[in-house]
Amino acid sequence: MLFDEKALAFPCAGQWLVGVATVPMQPGRRGVLVVVGGPQYRAGSHRQFTLLARALAAQGIAAMRFDYRGMGDSDGEMRGFDDIGLDVRCAIDAFFAAVPGLQEVVLWGLCDGASAAALYAESDARVSALVLLNPWVRTDEGLARSTLKHYYRERFLSPVLWKKIAQGRFDMRAAARSLVDILARASKPRQAGKTSGSEALPERMHGALSRFDGKVLVVLSGADLTAREFADTAAAPGWKGLLEAPRFTRHELARADHTFSRREWRDQVAAWTADWLHSW
């Protein structure tokens, strides 16, 4: 399907944001807004967001990507992922103005862009669904536990490690100090709100997704500690019950890295997104 790309400039709290809407000749009523994780801009790593928008538009789905304040070509000071709610709202306003036939929007985000989308969704009735790639639920103790569970196990089984030890090229003291530090951090109870609010990020994410009643597609990379930390968090009793609800769909790409840097991984994510959007 043919599509057009429209450069957009729209106001947000007295400043101007920049975006691009990729619009098919006959757009459907459901569009996709890419919420960029930081620090990135609207093209995305290895142009993933540009190519995703074009892949969706080729299947009749309008898509928009934009720079929030302080990033890319937009005005303002850089801000954290949990402080871009107004930027997302202004971008949705601009998206609906650029594509008059839109009736609902799906927020699509990677890493802390996924977390920003999840935290925002419940506040806007126009948001009907979320696509969350490798959602960021980082805590110091959560990262330590995931590192022990995933990195150290793989490292211990690596022939390269044992070859370095056999050749005397491995710093045992430094490795021991690092392991002790990670064990200490992993044993700590979860600390509250390092970003904002009184709850730690995993609890804030759980609450936001529980209150949001739309559909959610979760895509996780197999070779990424951020994704593994989310998977470990999601295995806890409260999270497990939430993600097993019928409105949640989950896919995993076993060998993919954090940004789906290979074409086959990027194309798979685009295909899963389009198929899921056409399924309901």
Side-chain angles (χ1 to χ4, degrees), residues 22-123:
T22 306
V23 186
M25 294 298 104
Q26 296 180 324
R29 64 182 180 85
R30 179 178 299 146
V32 171
L33 179 72
V34 176
V35 180
V36 176
Q40 287 190 25
Y41 78 120
R42 60 192 181 276
S45 302
H46 40 84
R47 299 174 69 236
Q48 182 183 21
F49 304 156
T50 300
L51 297 170
L52 170 72
R54 292 173 181 174
L56 295 176
Q59 299 195 47
I61 303 167
M64 176 178 162
R65 48 205 163 83
F66 72 103
D67 301 335
Y68 57 77
R69 282 174 289 175
M71 294 305 301
D73 294 309
S74 291
D75 293 341
E77 298 294 325
M78 184 177 174
R79 60 201 60 234
F81 72 93
D82 57 349
D83 190 27
I84 62 169
L86 181 58
D87 304 63
V88 174
R89 184 175 297 278
C90 293
I92 295 175
D93 292 343
F95 194 18
F96 273 62
V99 188
L102 284 186
Q103 297 179 21
E104 58 185 82
V105 65
V106 176
L107 301 183
W108 189 107
L110 166 69
C111 192
D112 58 8
S115 304
L119 295 173
Y120 175 83
E122 62 172 314
S123 69

Side-chain angles (χ1 to χ4, degrees), residues 80-270:
F81 72 93
D82 57 349
D83 190 27
I84 62 169
L86 181 58
D87 304 63
V88 174
R89 184 175 297 278
C90 293
I92 295 175
D93 292 343
F95 194 18
F96 273 62
V99 188
L102 284 186
Q103 297 179 21
E104 58 185 82
V105 65
V106 176
L107 301 183
W108 189 107
L110 166 69
C111 192
D112 58 8
S115 304
L119 295 173
Y120 175 83
E122 62 172 314
S123 69
D124 193 328
R126 297 171 295 181
V127 179
S128 61
L130 295 165
V131 181
L132 310 178
L133 278 70
N134 299 330
W136 177 264
V137 289
R138 178 61 43 84
T139 61
D140 188 52
E141 60 277 8
L143 174 61
R145 290 168 188 155
S146 294
T147 301
L148 284 173
K149 183 177 179 181
H150 303 287
Y151 172 77
Y152 272 94
R153 181 170 60 186
E154 183 175 328
R155 182 76 168 148
F156 186 77
L157 296 175
S158 170
V160 175
L161 170 64
W162 294 106
K163 183 177 180 179
K164 290 179 71 172
I165 293 174
Q167 294 174 343
R169 298 187 295 114
F170 186 78
D171 189 338
M172 296 292 287
R173 290 186 177 180
R177 286 196 298 269
S178 176
L179 178 59
V180 168
D181 175 64
I182 290 176
L183 285 169
R185 287 189 283 131
S187 64
K188 291 181 180 178
R190 178 169 291 163
Q191 300 296 311
K194 292 187 176 181
T195 49
S196 66
S198 58
E199 292 181 308
L201 181 57
E203 282 70 38
R204 293 175 60 207
M205 286 278 288
H206 183 277
L209 289 172
S210 298
R211 293 186 294 272
F212 176 63
D213 60 3
K215 295 181 178 296
V216 182
L217 171 63
V218 177
V219 180
L220 300 180
S221 299
D224 174 42
L225 266 182
T226 297
R228 291 306 94 200
E229 186 175 355
F230 177 83
D232 292 342
T233 299
W239 272 93
K240 190 175 180 181
L242 175 65
L243 268 63
E244 286 179 345
R247 64 189 179 91
F248 282 83
T249 301
R250 179 168 167 172
H251 290 304
E252 296 208 20
L253 268 175
R255 299 178 61 191
D257 57 23
H258 184 61
T259 61
F260 304 89
S261 60
R262 291 186 181 178
R263 180 175 181 176
E264 64 193 86
W265 299 334
R266 182 194 71 221
D267 289 350
Q268 180 63 77
V269 169

